[in-house]
Structure formats: C-alpha cells, structure tokens
Amino acid sequence: APALALQGVARTYGRGETAVAVLRGVDLAVAGGEIVALVAPSGAGKSTLLQIAGLLDSADAGVVSVGGRAATGDAERTALRREAIGFVYQFHHLLPEFTALENVMLPQFAAGVPRRDAEARARALLEAVGLTPRAGHRPAELSGGEQQRVAVARALANRPRLILADEPTGNLDPETAARVFEVMTQAVRSEGAGALVATHNPDLAARMDRTVTLREGRVVAG
Ligand code: ADP
Ligand code: ADP
C-alpha cells in the first residue's frame, strides 16, 4: 500500500458568498521510500493539504489513507496520527527541558513502547542523523541544524509509514539546510517511509524524487 493516498479530497473554508474552495478534488499517492516535493505559491493550499494528510484537519469530501489504512473515525485517525505519521516543521518544537535522546524517546512512550526499547531506538536514530555525541544535550545547547536533525529523528521514532514536512529547513542557512535535507532523505528512505515535503526551496525540490504543485485546487505534476 502507498505511504499516503488522497482520493478526491476537497476542503472549503467558510460558507456562502465568502466561501473559499481551497482543495477541489485532490488525488495524490506517495509510495513507501518515495520523497515528493510540494511546491506551490503562497495561498495555494499547501498547509491545508498537509493538515488533511496529517489528519490534523478533516476534508469535506474524499478519502485519506496512510499505509493502506483509511482514516475513518476518530479512534482510527488518532491511532494513525500517533503510529503512522511523523511530522517535521520549520520550527522544530523540541521540548526544551529534555535532552535530544529524551525528545526522541517521548513519542514512543505515547505509543506504549517500553523504556529500554524506546532508548535503543532513539540512540539508533540519533546515530543515523549523526548526533550520537549530542544525545545528552538540551535543544538550547544545539545548533539550528542539529535541532532540526533531532526533529527528524523524533519524527521517525515510531516507525511511521509517512513523513510530512512543512518547510523543514526554512530557517536554516543554505549549507545547513542541504545537510539536514540529506540526512532526512537518507533516514526516511532507509526506514521505507514515504515523505511529502512542502518547500519554497527549488534546490531542495530538485533533489526529491518528483515535484507536485497545486493548480486550481488540484494536485498536478510540477
Ligand atoms: P499555503 O500553505 O499554500 O500558503 P494555505 O493552505 O495556508 O496555503 O491557505 C490556502 C487558502 O486558504 C488561503 O487563501 C488562506 O487564506 C485560506 N485559509 C487557510 N486557512 C484558513 C482558515 N482557517 N479559514 C479561512 N481561510 C483559510
Ligand atoms: P552549525 O554550523 O551546525 O549551525 P554552530 O556553529 O551553531 O553549528 O555550532 C557549532 C557547535 O557548537 C555545534 O556542535 C553545537 O552543538 C555547539 N553549540 C552551539 N550552540 C551551543 C550552546 N549554546 N551551548 C553549547 N553548545 C553549543
């Protein structure tokens, strides 16, 4: 099953004369191991699409499936959000009072993983993103690029089928952005997850497997 499948997804904000139909029938599939760039002008609906794919917002119509599981019903949506989807944001939202290692362990506790297993997994992921020497540091003691690599490790902690990233390197200088992106794509691919990455950065988009855009509320090849 694809990491993400959207079929006929529609979303309108507001009602009546002021209604704005942002998504008007989005069809999109992201395969496991595939990294897809979502590049579109501001206001085109990228955030709306990511929120719906991430089950943080509901579509008015259409079907969202993650790893072959259709997101129907509150219980299934919550389970999918916890177990099957990892999020990477422009600003990492790491918890400041916890170390890098603990930040990668915490989502696993929410999923019921025992402490020893969570720690082993977190150490392996920090190794994969090149941060073993920083495992015991708090976010404030890490550079911006390092913080974002911790965020990537955290997003992968529960072995998600799908990674959703919104401008994941938007606040980094170009060199650091390229390095974080490289680490992120390697980690995502080696985990067999699929990724949908919204970005304004054409250099990063060019390094992904393919680019899609939003045109008149539909996803088309970019
Ligand atoms: P992008 O991420 O591509 O900039 P968004 O998904 O944020 O686009 O927004 C798409 C359109 O939907 C914009 O016109 C925006 O103003 C509108 N919009 C987004 N969120 C809301 C909301 N909660 N209520 C009303 N309009 C919204
Ligand atoms: P980068 O070039 O990757 O952004 P920096 O030049 O900001 O890195 O930082 C270099 C090194 O110094 C990093 O390994 C980081 O962990 C460490 N460092 C940065 N800020 C702090 C801090 N406030 N306290 C402790 N170590 C820090």
Side-chain angles (χ1 to χ4, degrees):
L4 171 68
L6 303 176
Q7 291 163 307
V9 166
R11 180 72 166 93
T12 295
Y13 291 114
R15 287 166 195 278
E17 285 182 13
T18 58
V20 183
V22 177
L23 305 179
R24 303 163 177 251
V26 164
D27 297 312
L28 174 67
V30 178
E34 185 183 36
I35 302 186
V36 177
L38 174 61
V39 181
S42 199
K46 297 183 298 297
S47 298
T48 301
L49 182 58
L50 285 176
Q51 298 255 331
I52 288 173
L55 310 180
L56 300 165
D57 185 16
S58 295
D60 304 323
V63 180
V64 180
S65 304
V66 179
R69 289 160 67 182
T72 48
D74 286 347
E76 177 71 346
R77 289 168 63 84
T78 302
L80 280 171
R81 214 162 41 229
R82 278 204 194 125
E83 299 160 16
I85 305 174
F87 298 92
V88 183
Y89 302 99
Q90 174 167 9
F91 298 101
H92 51 72
H93 302 304
L94 297 175
L95 296 173
E97 66 273 39
F98 292 100
T99 65
L101 183 72
E102 289 163 345
N103 267 283
V104 184
M105 290 172 70
L106 284 168
Q108 302 180 75
F109 295 155
V113 177
R115 185 175 185 91
R116 283 181 55 138
D117 297 344
E119 181 170 344
R121 171 79 176 150
R123 289 197 186 280
L125 283 167
L126 288 176
E127 174 82 38
V129 298
L131 284 182
T132 295
R134 295 280 178 265
H137 291 237
R138 293 204 173 86
E141 301 165 335
L142 301 174
S143 74
E146 289 172 333
Q147 291 174 14
Q148 213 53 349
R149 283 188 272 150
V150 176
V152 168
R154 179 186 55 181
L156 289 164
N158 287 331
R159 303 179 198 278
R161 301 290 302 267
L162 173 66
I163 291 287
L164 296 171
D166 198 352
E167 292 289 350
T169 60
N171 62 332
L172 303 174
D173 64 79
E175 209 171 298
T176 307
R179 161 108 173 99
V180 168
F181 180 75
E182 205 55 47
V183 162
M184 183 176 91
T185 51
Q186 270 174 26
V188 167
R189 284 210 176 89
S190 75
E191 293 282 322
L196 182 61
V197 182
T199 183
H200 282 108
N201 185 330
D203 294 335
L204 291 190
R207 295 187 207 193
M208 300 190 213
D209 297 317
R210 65 191 164 95
T211 297
V212 297
T213 189
L214 279 160
R215 197 159 297 141
E216 289 168 8
R218 292 195 172 77
V219 164
V220 298

